[in-house]
Amino acid sequence: MKFHEKENPFDRGGICLACGDNSCGLFHKQTVSYKKSMLTDNISSFETAAKTAMALYEDGNEDGVWLFTVDTDANNLACYNGYEHLLYPLTEEQKKAFVTVKSVFRLDHLGFECLYVNENFATFGIANGRASFIYSKSNQKPDFVNLAEITDKNRVYVEKITDNWFYACK
């Protein structure tokens, strides 16, 4: 979806994203579309997945970001914590939650690829990094799409979906 903005929230050097030049004098913001119901209809599964990964992160007593990928065939949650690759077994309830997330998740025509976790956020991301669903433990609005450590506030669109849940894209 494209629309005009009176100000330039993206500071793209005066280039209009819709027209391709600066002759119109207006600026555009392009967002990746999504279905809110994808998350809200499956909120229990998304929250179980987010809280499972966040609990593992907290138990690890490390700083930084942990990257999780899901191997539901092997009943494991794979993790790279910046130092080593770890495998965590999933309970049946956790596996069911991750299977549901993987089956319903579609952003920018892509499926669920990875889960980034730090002390406050669990980010459900896609391969191209353009959009994500973000769980915020403190209900703080994120200013990033994938990693809290890599922000570009002027180029990120964030929308609150429900308590603790946000949609972000660039």
Side-chain angles (χ1 to χ4, degrees):
M1 153 179 18
K2 295 180 180 177
F3 55 91
H4 286 283
E5 295 263 338
K6 291 186 178 181
E7 296 180 17
N8 182 1
F10 288 21
D11 188 28
R12 302 231 189 234
I15 303 298
C16 171
L17 297 175
C19 306
D21 63 26
N22 60 0
S23 62
C24 73
L26 296 173
F27 300 94
H28 304 263
K29 178 165 62 174
Q30 183 175 359
T31 62
V32 178
S33 63
Y34 76 101
K35 291 183 179 180
K36 187 183 288 192
S37 62
M38 179 188 349
L39 178 75
T40 57
D41 291 353
N42 300 285
I43 195 77
S44 176
S45 293
F46 276 89
E47 285 196 359
T48 296
K51 289 176 180 179
T52 297
M54 291 183 94
L56 293 170
Y57 174 87
E58 289 171 5
D59 287 347
N61 293 320
E62 295 184 31
D63 292 331
V65 176
W66 284 23
L67 168 64
F68 290 92
T69 57
V70 182
D71 183 359
T72 53
D73 294 331
N75 297 322
N76 289 318
L77 189 59
C79 170
Y80 179 68
N81 65 6
Y83 307 104
E84 59 187 330
H85 292 276
L86 307 167
L87 283 178
Y88 295 100
L90 295 171
T91 66
E92 277 304 311
E93 177 188 0
Q94 292 166 336
K95 178 182 175 180
K96 183 179 176 186
F98 278 103
V99 166
T100 299
V101 168
K102 284 185 79 163
S103 68
V104 301
F105 190 99
R106 289 286 174 275
L107 291 176
D108 203 21
H109 309 289
L110 297 171
F112 173 59
E113 185 71 26
C114 54
L115 179 57
Y116 297 102
V117 175
N118 69 13
E119 63 275 353
N120 189 46
F121 297 105
T123 304
F124 294 78
I126 55 178
N128 68 12
R130 288 184 43 181
S132 63
F133 285 131
I134 302 172
Y135 174 80
S136 171
K137 185 167 60 172
S138 67
N139 206 26
Q140 172 188 348
K141 182 179 179 180
D143 58 0
F144 59 91
V145 176
N146 292 298
L147 298 168
E149 288 71 18
I150 302 173
T151 62
D152 193 357
K153 296 175 188 172
N154 294 329
R155 299 180 190 269
V156 175
Y157 171 82
V158 178
E159 178 180 315
K160 184 169 186 150
I161 299 171
T162 187
D163 286 346
N164 300 94
W165 284 98
F166 298 85
Y167 165 75
C169 72
K170 58 182 172 183

